[in-house]
Amino acid sequence: MLEAINLHKRYHQGEIDVVAVDHFSYRFPAGLTAIVGPSGSGKTTLLNLLAGFDVPSEGEVRLDTTPLSTLSEDGRSEVRLKHMGFVFQQWNLIPTLTALENVAFPMMLAGLGLKERSARAAALLEAVGLGPRGKHLPSKLSGGEQQRVAIARALALNPPILFADEPTGNLDSASGARVVELLLHQAREGRTVILVTHDLELARKAERILHLRDGRLVRVEDLTPASAAVIPTLDR
């Protein structure tokens, strides 16, 4: 369970304090949650706080009962390795490694043996429809294929939480649709999938949408069938 409690992040710019996230609280359930808002609303800062890439000025992020801000930087890195997967807009594949080696890389960091990580990487590539492309370098793959490799890599250690930051931003519509279906499948499998996007059409495929404005959570849309007609408003 990932929970943000009164999360606040401010930055100092000269003598001015800039508030990027303003007392955000939310408990993320299993399934797909989309975070939307205009440019500068705090979406990426919030994701960085939730994942422990940054620490809050006030409040805390808890993974189960562990506040991430109480951990060292190495401790937060270990949490990310074991409990979180990441899919970014830029894919961030290692250009000198094949698709199979890219997917296996987190497993190497976690200490898995060569045979085990190679077998699991091959199975994950099959799962995202890229089994025959395992020996190809990223430069030999299309953008959509590279993003699917990135998803397979994010799933390498079977994390319960998956973050996706604008995962379809650099893709054509057909490739983007395939990536979205892969993310939806992970949500249906019981993972907590947190999607940051500016695309409202994409966001509406989620079970719930969190609307940010000026760093604040101003509205939560519940799109599950039982409560799709109920749209709580948190404007203040």
Side-chain angles (χ1 to χ4, degrees), residues 80-115:
R80 285 192 294 272
L81 179 64
K82 293 181 177 179
H83 300 283
M84 301 174 179
F86 299 90
V87 183
F88 299 104
Q89 183 175 354
Q90 299 298 330
W91 313 314
N92 294 336
L93 300 179
I94 300 172
T96 56
L97 299 183
T98 65
L100 185 74
E101 291 166 339
N102 265 283
V103 177
F105 187 71
M107 293 181 269
M108 183 188 71
L109 295 178
L112 275 66
L114 175 60
K115 184 176 180 180

mmCIF file of all heavy atoms in Angstrom, residues 80-115:
data_model
loop_
_atom_site.group_PDB
_atom_site.id
_atom_site.type_symbol
_atom_site.label_atom_id
_atom_site.label_comp_id
_atom_site.label_asym_id
_atom_site.label_seq_id
_atom_site.Cartn_x
_atom_site.Cartn_y
_atom_site.Cartn_z
ATOM 1 N N ARG A 80 12.970 1.113 -4.226
ATOM 2 C CA ARG A 80 12.567 1.241 -5.637
ATOM 3 C C ARG A 80 12.905 -0.026 -6.419
ATOM 4 O O ARG A 80 12.110 -0.488 -7.240
ATOM 5 C CB ARG A 80 13.252 2.453 -6.270
ATOM 6 C CG ARG A 80 12.652 3.782 -5.845
ATOM 7 C CD ARG A 80 13.153 4.924 -6.715
ATOM 8 N NE ARG A 80 14.581 5.165 -6.541
ATOM 9 C CZ ARG A 80 15.093 5.973 -5.617
ATOM 10 N NH1 ARG A 80 14.303 6.619 -4.785
ATOM 11 N NH2 ARG A 80 16.401 6.152 -5.524
ATOM 12 N N LEU A 81 14.089 -0.579 -6.156
ATOM 13 C CA LEU A 81 14.506 -1.778 -6.888
ATOM 14 C C LEU A 81 13.570 -2.949 -6.613
ATOM 15 O O LEU A 81 13.185 -3.680 -7.538
ATOM 16 C CB LEU A 81 15.944 -2.144 -6.507
ATOM 17 C CG LEU A 81 16.536 -3.394 -7.174
ATOM 18 C CD1 LEU A 81 16.651 -3.194 -8.683
ATOM 19 C CD2 LEU A 81 17.898 -3.729 -6.575
ATOM 20 N N LYS A 82 13.170 -3.123 -5.361
ATOM 21 C CA LYS A 82 12.423 -4.309 -4.968
ATOM 22 C C LYS A 82 10.906 -4.155 -5.088
ATOM 23 O O LYS A 82 10.195 -5.143 -5.256
ATOM 24 C CB LYS A 82 12.772 -4.686 -3.529
ATOM 25 C CG LYS A 82 14.199 -5.161 -3.345
ATOM 26 C CD LYS A 82 14.469 -5.553 -1.900
ATOM 27 C CE LYS A 82 15.878 -6.093 -1.718
ATOM 28 N NZ LYS A 82 16.150 -6.465 -0.300
ATOM 29 N N HIS A 83 10.415 -2.917 -4.983
ATOM 30 C CA HIS A 83 8.966 -2.740 -4.866
ATOM 31 C C HIS A 83 8.341 -1.886 -5.962
ATOM 32 O O HIS A 83 7.110 -1.788 -6.020
ATOM 33 C CB HIS A 83 8.635 -2.105 -3.510
ATOM 34 C CG HIS A 83 9.084 -2.921 -2.331
ATOM 35 N ND1 HIS A 83 8.403 -4.038 -1.904
ATOM 36 C CD2 HIS A 83 10.161 -2.783 -1.507
ATOM 37 C CE1 HIS A 83 9.029 -4.559 -0.852
ATOM 38 N NE2 HIS A 83 10.090 -3.816 -0.596
ATOM 39 N N MET A 84 9.151 -1.240 -6.806
ATOM 40 C CA MET A 84 8.608 -0.308 -7.783
ATOM 41 C C MET A 84 9.196 -0.554 -9.166
ATOM 42 O O MET A 84 10.361 -0.914 -9.295
ATOM 43 C CB MET A 84 8.910 1.142 -7.368
ATOM 44 C CG MET A 84 8.343 1.544 -6.022
ATOM 45 S SD MET A 84 8.903 3.202 -5.530
ATOM 46 C CE MET A 84 8.052 3.382 -3.955
ATOM 47 N N GLY A 85 8.385 -0.329 -10.177
ATOM 48 C CA GLY A 85 8.851 -0.335 -11.557
ATOM 49 C C GLY A 85 8.524 1.001 -12.197
ATOM 50 O O GLY A 85 7.569 1.675 -11.791
ATOM 51 N N PHE A 86 9.320 1.392 -13.211
ATOM 52 C CA PHE A 86 9.176 2.726 -13.790
ATOM 53 C C PHE A 86 9.168 2.659 -15.313
ATOM 54 O O PHE A 86 10.006 1.988 -15.919
ATOM 55 C CB PHE A 86 10.329 3.631 -13.335
ATOM 56 C CG PHE A 86 10.381 3.818 -11.844
ATOM 57 C CD1 PHE A 86 11.114 2.949 -11.047
ATOM 58 C CD2 PHE A 86 9.666 4.833 -11.236
ATOM 59 C CE1 PHE A 86 11.142 3.093 -9.668
ATOM 60 C CE2 PHE A 86 9.688 4.999 -9.866
ATOM 61 C CZ PHE A 86 10.428 4.126 -9.078
ATOM 62 N N VAL A 87 8.220 3.390 -15.900
ATOM 63 C CA VAL A 87 8.131 3.530 -17.346
ATOM 64 C C VAL A 87 8.098 5.027 -17.649
ATOM 65 O O VAL A 87 7.170 5.720 -17.221
ATOM 66 C CB VAL A 87 6.868 2.851 -17.911
ATOM 67 C CG1 VAL A 87 6.850 2.953 -19.431
ATOM 68 C CG2 VAL A 87 6.790 1.391 -17.470
ATOM 69 N N PHE A 88 9.104 5.516 -18.359
ATOM 70 C CA PHE A 88 9.220 6.945 -18.633
ATOM 71 C C PHE A 88 8.945 7.237 -20.106
ATOM 72 O O PHE A 88 9.006 6.353 -20.961
ATOM 73 C CB PHE A 88 10.621 7.456 -18.264
ATOM 74 C CG PHE A 88 10.969 7.291 -16.816
ATOM 75 C CD1 PHE A 88 11.834 6.292 -16.397
ATOM 76 C CD2 PHE A 88 10.432 8.139 -15.858
ATOM 77 C CE1 PHE A 88 12.158 6.141 -15.060
ATOM 78 C CE2 PHE A 88 10.749 8.001 -14.520
ATOM 79 C CZ PHE A 88 11.615 7.001 -14.117
ATOM 80 N N GLN A 89 8.707 8.503 -20.389
ATOM 81 C CA GLN A 89 8.445 8.920 -21.762
ATOM 82 C C GLN A 89 9.655 8.661 -22.660
ATOM 83 O O GLN A 89 9.513 8.331 -23.839
ATOM 84 C CB GLN A 89 8.080 10.410 -21.774
ATOM 85 C CG GLN A 89 7.721 10.951 -23.153
ATOM 86 C CD GLN A 89 7.256 12.396 -23.091
ATOM 87 O OE1 GLN A 89 7.097 12.965 -22.017
ATOM 88 N NE2 GLN A 89 7.031 12.994 -24.237
ATOM 89 N N GLN A 90 10.859 8.808 -22.118
ATOM 90 C CA GLN A 90 12.076 8.706 -22.925
ATOM 91 C C GLN A 90 12.654 7.291 -22.979
ATOM 92 O O GLN A 90 13.746 7.100 -23.504
ATOM 93 C CB GLN A 90 13.136 9.676 -22.376
ATOM 94 C CG GLN A 90 12.715 11.141 -22.419
ATOM 95 C CD GLN A 90 12.461 11.630 -23.828
ATOM 96 O OE1 GLN A 90 13.065 11.156 -24.786
ATOM 97 N NE2 GLN A 90 11.552 12.594 -23.966
ATOM 98 N N TRP A 91 11.981 6.317 -22.358
ATOM 99 C CA TRP A 91 12.348 4.895 -22.392
ATOM 100 C C TRP A 91 13.598 4.584 -21.567
ATOM 101 O O TRP A 91 13.630 3.619 -20.829
ATOM 102 C CB TRP A 91 12.526 4.360 -23.824
ATOM 103 C CG TRP A 91 11.409 4.773 -24.727
ATOM 104 C CD1 TRP A 91 10.066 4.718 -24.461
ATOM 105 C CD2 TRP A 91 11.527 5.326 -26.037
ATOM 106 N NE1 TRP A 91 9.341 5.200 -25.522
ATOM 107 C CE2 TRP A 91 10.209 5.582 -26.510
ATOM 108 C CE3 TRP A 91 12.608 5.622 -26.867
ATOM 109 C CZ2 TRP A 91 9.954 6.111 -27.761
ATOM 110 C CZ3 TRP A 91 12.353 6.159 -28.112
ATOM 111 C CH2 TRP A 91 11.041 6.393 -28.540
ATOM 112 N N ASN A 92 14.690 5.372 -21.727
ATOM 113 C CA ASN A 92 15.890 5.208 -20.898
ATOM 114 C C ASN A 92 16.492 3.804 -20.968
ATOM 115 O O ASN A 92 16.965 3.271 -19.973
ATOM 116 C CB ASN A 92 15.580 5.556 -19.435
ATOM 117 C CG ASN A 92 15.238 7.018 -19.242
ATOM 118 O OD1 ASN A 92 15.634 7.864 -20.041
ATOM 119 N ND2 ASN A 92 14.490 7.321 -18.200
ATOM 120 N N LEU A 93 16.463 3.208 -22.142
ATOM 121 C CA LEU A 93 17.136 1.928 -22.323
ATOM 122 C C LEU A 93 18.639 2.158 -22.457
ATOM 123 O O LEU A 93 19.091 3.207 -22.922
ATOM 124 C CB LEU A 93 16.605 1.212 -23.563
ATOM 125 C CG LEU A 93 15.106 0.888 -23.570
ATOM 126 C CD1 LEU A 93 14.722 0.202 -24.875
ATOM 127 C CD2 LEU A 93 14.710 0.038 -22.380
ATOM 128 N N ILE A 94 19.415 1.161 -22.051
ATOM 129 C CA ILE A 94 20.878 1.246 -22.181
ATOM 130 C C ILE A 94 21.237 0.904 -23.625
ATOM 131 O O ILE A 94 20.981 -0.221 -24.086
ATOM 132 C CB ILE A 94 21.565 0.285 -21.197
ATOM 133 C CG1 ILE A 94 21.169 0.654 -19.760
ATOM 134 C CG2 ILE A 94 23.090 0.339 -21.361
ATOM 135 C CD1 ILE A 94 21.618 -0.338 -18.720
ATOM 136 N N PRO A 95 21.805 1.830 -24.383
ATOM 137 C CA PRO A 95 21.937 1.646 -25.837
ATOM 138 C C PRO A 95 22.884 0.518 -26.245
ATOM 139 O O PRO A 95 22.763 -0.011 -27.343
ATOM 140 C CB PRO A 95 22.456 3.007 -26.328
ATOM 141 C CG PRO A 95 23.069 3.644 -25.132
ATOM 142 C CD PRO A 95 22.276 3.163 -23.956
ATOM 143 N N THR A 96 23.822 0.152 -25.368
ATOM 144 C CA THR A 96 24.794 -0.889 -25.723
ATOM 145 C C THR A 96 24.331 -2.293 -25.333
ATOM 146 O O THR A 96 25.048 -3.265 -25.585
ATOM 147 C CB THR A 96 26.148 -0.602 -25.050
ATOM 148 O OG1 THR A 96 25.947 -0.492 -23.627
ATOM 149 C CG2 THR A 96 26.753 0.687 -25.589
ATOM 150 N N LEU A 97 23.152 -2.393 -24.712
ATOM 151 C CA LEU A 97 22.613 -3.694 -24.320
ATOM 152 C C LEU A 97 21.458 -4.072 -25.236
ATOM 153 O O LEU A 97 20.709 -3.212 -25.693
ATOM 154 C CB LEU A 97 22.113 -3.666 -22.872
ATOM 155 C CG LEU A 97 23.134 -3.347 -21.779
ATOM 156 C CD1 LEU A 97 22.462 -3.437 -20.404
ATOM 157 C CD2 LEU A 97 24.341 -4.279 -21.851
ATOM 158 N N THR A 98 21.311 -5.352 -25.486
ATOM 159 C CA THR A 98 20.175 -5.826 -26.275
ATOM 160 C C THR A 98 18.883 -5.658 -25.478
ATOM 161 O O THR A 98 18.904 -5.369 -24.268
ATOM 162 C CB THR A 98 20.343 -7.308 -26.636
ATOM 163 O OG1 THR A 98 20.304 -8.079 -25.415
ATOM 164 C CG2 THR A 98 21.650 -7.553 -27.373
ATOM 165 N N ALA A 99 17.771 -5.871 -26.162
ATOM 166 C CA ALA A 99 16.479 -5.806 -25.472
ATOM 167 C C ALA A 99 16.446 -6.785 -24.306
ATOM 168 O O ALA A 99 16.014 -6.447 -23.199
ATOM 169 C CB ALA A 99 15.356 -6.105 -26.458
ATOM 170 N N LEU A 100 16.908 -8.011 -24.535
ATOM 171 C CA LEU A 100 16.929 -9.022 -23.477
ATOM 172 C C LEU A 100 17.815 -8.577 -22.320
ATOM 173 O O LEU A 100 17.438 -8.704 -21.139
ATOM 174 C CB LEU A 100 17.437 -10.350 -24.040
ATOM 175 C CG LEU A 100 17.402 -11.541 -23.077
ATOM 176 C CD1 LEU A 100 15.964 -12.015 -22.890
ATOM 177 C CD2 LEU A 100 18.262 -12.681 -23.586
ATOM 178 N N GLU A 101 18.975 -8.027 -22.617
ATOM 179 C CA GLU A 101 19.896 -7.589 -21.571
ATOM 180 C C GLU A 101 19.345 -6.396 -20.799
ATOM 181 O O GLU A 101 19.552 -6.279 -19.586
ATOM 182 C CB GLU A 101 21.256 -7.262 -22.178
ATOM 183 C CG GLU A 101 21.995 -8.487 -22.693
ATOM 184 C CD GLU A 101 23.176 -8.140 -23.593
ATOM 185 O OE1 GLU A 101 23.202 -7.009 -24.146
ATOM 186 O OE2 GLU A 101 24.065 -9.002 -23.761
ATOM 187 N N ASN A 102 18.636 -5.502 -21.493
ATOM 188 C CA ASN A 102 18.011 -4.377 -20.803
ATOM 189 C C ASN A 102 16.976 -4.860 -19.792
ATOM 190 O O ASN A 102 16.917 -4.362 -18.661
ATOM 191 C CB ASN A 102 17.356 -3.435 -21.811
ATOM 192 C CG ASN A 102 18.250 -2.282 -22.221
ATOM 193 O OD1 ASN A 102 18.425 -1.325 -21.476
ATOM 194 N ND2 ASN A 102 18.841 -2.403 -23.401
ATOM 195 N N VAL A 103 16.158 -5.819 -20.193
ATOM 196 C CA VAL A 103 15.138 -6.342 -19.286
ATOM 197 C C VAL A 103 15.783 -7.072 -18.114
ATOM 198 O O VAL A 103 15.311 -6.987 -16.971
ATOM 199 C CB VAL A 103 14.177 -7.271 -20.039
ATOM 200 C CG1 VAL A 103 13.158 -7.892 -19.086
ATOM 201 C CG2 VAL A 103 13.455 -6.501 -21.141
ATOM 202 N N ALA A 104 16.882 -7.759 -18.356
ATOM 203 C CA ALA A 104 17.558 -8.532 -17.312
ATOM 204 C C ALA A 104 18.353 -7.658 -16.349
ATOM 205 O O ALA A 104 18.695 -8.101 -15.251
ATOM 206 C CB ALA A 104 18.480 -9.569 -17.946
ATOM 207 N N PHE A 105 18.629 -6.421 -16.739
ATOM 208 C CA PHE A 105 19.547 -5.579 -15.955
ATOM 209 C C PHE A 105 19.100 -5.390 -14.499
ATOM 210 O O PHE A 105 19.923 -5.549 -13.578
ATOM 211 C CB PHE A 105 19.712 -4.229 -16.648
ATOM 212 C CG PHE A 105 20.760 -3.356 -16.015
ATOM 213 C CD1 PHE A 105 22.109 -3.661 -16.137
ATOM 214 C CD2 PHE A 105 20.398 -2.235 -15.290
ATOM 215 C CE1 PHE A 105 23.078 -2.869 -15.545
ATOM 216 C CE2 PHE A 105 21.349 -1.435 -14.701
ATOM 217 C CZ PHE A 105 22.704 -1.748 -14.823
ATOM 218 N N PRO A 106 17.829 -5.063 -14.203
ATOM 219 C CA PRO A 106 17.434 -4.940 -12.791
ATOM 220 C C PRO A 106 17.626 -6.234 -12.010
ATOM 221 O O PRO A 106 17.926 -6.201 -10.812
ATOM 222 C CB PRO A 106 15.949 -4.553 -12.860
ATOM 223 C CG PRO A 106 15.770 -3.983 -14.215
ATOM 224 C CD PRO A 106 16.710 -4.737 -15.100
ATOM 225 N N MET A 107 17.447 -7.370 -12.676
ATOM 226 C CA MET A 107 17.627 -8.654 -11.997
ATOM 227 C C MET A 107 19.090 -8.886 -11.652
ATOM 228 O O MET A 107 19.406 -9.496 -10.627
ATOM 229 C CB MET A 107 17.065 -9.774 -12.870
ATOM 230 C CG MET A 107 15.559 -9.712 -13.036
ATOM 231 S SD MET A 107 14.891 -11.055 -14.040
ATOM 232 C CE MET A 107 14.935 -10.314 -15.669
ATOM 233 N N MET A 108 19.996 -8.401 -12.499
ATOM 234 C CA MET A 108 21.418 -8.481 -12.187
ATOM 235 C C MET A 108 21.727 -7.636 -10.951
ATOM 236 O O MET A 108 22.446 -8.076 -10.042
ATOM 237 C CB MET A 108 22.255 -8.005 -13.367
ATOM 238 C CG MET A 108 23.754 -8.134 -13.149
ATOM 239 S SD MET A 108 24.735 -7.348 -14.448
ATOM 240 C CE MET A 108 24.428 -5.612 -14.091
ATOM 241 N N LEU A 109 21.139 -6.436 -10.886
ATOM 242 C CA LEU A 109 21.354 -5.573 -9.717
ATOM 243 C C LEU A 109 20.834 -6.226 -8.441
ATOM 244 O O LEU A 109 21.382 -6.015 -7.359
ATOM 245 C CB LEU A 109 20.664 -4.225 -9.928
ATOM 246 C CG LEU A 109 21.196 -3.349 -11.064
ATOM 247 C CD1 LEU A 109 20.375 -2.067 -11.161
ATOM 248 C CD2 LEU A 109 22.675 -3.031 -10.871
ATOM 249 N N ALA A 110 19.759 -7.003 -8.587
ATOM 250 C CA ALA A 110 19.169 -7.668 -7.422
ATOM 251 C C ALA A 110 19.880 -8.961 -7.066
ATOM 252 O O ALA A 110 19.525 -9.600 -6.065
ATOM 253 C CB ALA A 110 17.691 -7.947 -7.681
ATOM 254 N N GLY A 111 20.874 -9.368 -7.866
ATOM 255 C CA GLY A 111 21.674 -10.535 -7.530
ATOM 256 C C GLY A 111 21.167 -11.852 -8.067
ATOM 257 O O GLY A 111 21.662 -12.920 -7.646
ATOM 258 N N LEU A 112 20.225 -11.838 -9.003
ATOM 259 C CA LEU A 112 19.748 -13.093 -9.577
ATOM 260 C C LEU A 112 20.809 -13.678 -10.503
ATOM 261 O O LEU A 112 21.569 -12.949 -11.144
ATOM 262 C CB LEU A 112 18.450 -12.871 -10.359
ATOM 263 C CG LEU A 112 17.143 -12.891 -9.565
ATOM 264 C CD1 LEU A 112 17.072 -11.731 -8.598
ATOM 265 C CD2 LEU A 112 15.943 -12.875 -10.507
ATOM 266 N N GLY A 113 20.845 -14.997 -10.589
ATOM 267 C CA GLY A 113 21.813 -15.680 -11.431
ATOM 268 C C GLY A 113 21.506 -15.499 -12.912
ATOM 269 O O GLY A 113 20.376 -15.181 -13.299
ATOM 270 N N LEU A 114 22.522 -15.725 -13.742
ATOM 271 C CA LEU A 114 22.403 -15.500 -15.179
ATOM 272 C C LEU A 114 21.277 -16.326 -15.794
ATOM 273 O O LEU A 114 20.478 -15.810 -16.583
ATOM 274 C CB LEU A 114 23.732 -15.826 -15.864
ATOM 275 C CG LEU A 114 23.746 -15.748 -17.395
ATOM 276 C CD1 LEU A 114 23.399 -14.344 -17.861
ATOM 277 C CD2 LEU A 114 25.105 -16.188 -17.935
ATOM 278 N N LYS A 115 21.189 -17.585 -15.446
ATOM 279 C CA LYS A 115 20.181 -18.464 -16.043
ATOM 280 C C LYS A 115 18.777 -17.982 -15.697
ATOM 281 O O LYS A 115 17.898 -17.904 -16.570
ATOM 282 C CB LYS A 115 20.382 -19.897 -15.567
ATOM 283 C CG LYS A 115 19.436 -20.898 -16.219
ATOM 284 C CD LYS A 115 19.758 -22.323 -15.770
ATOM 285 C CE LYS A 115 18.822 -23.325 -16.429
ATOM 286 N NZ LYS A 115 19.137 -24.723 -15.993
#
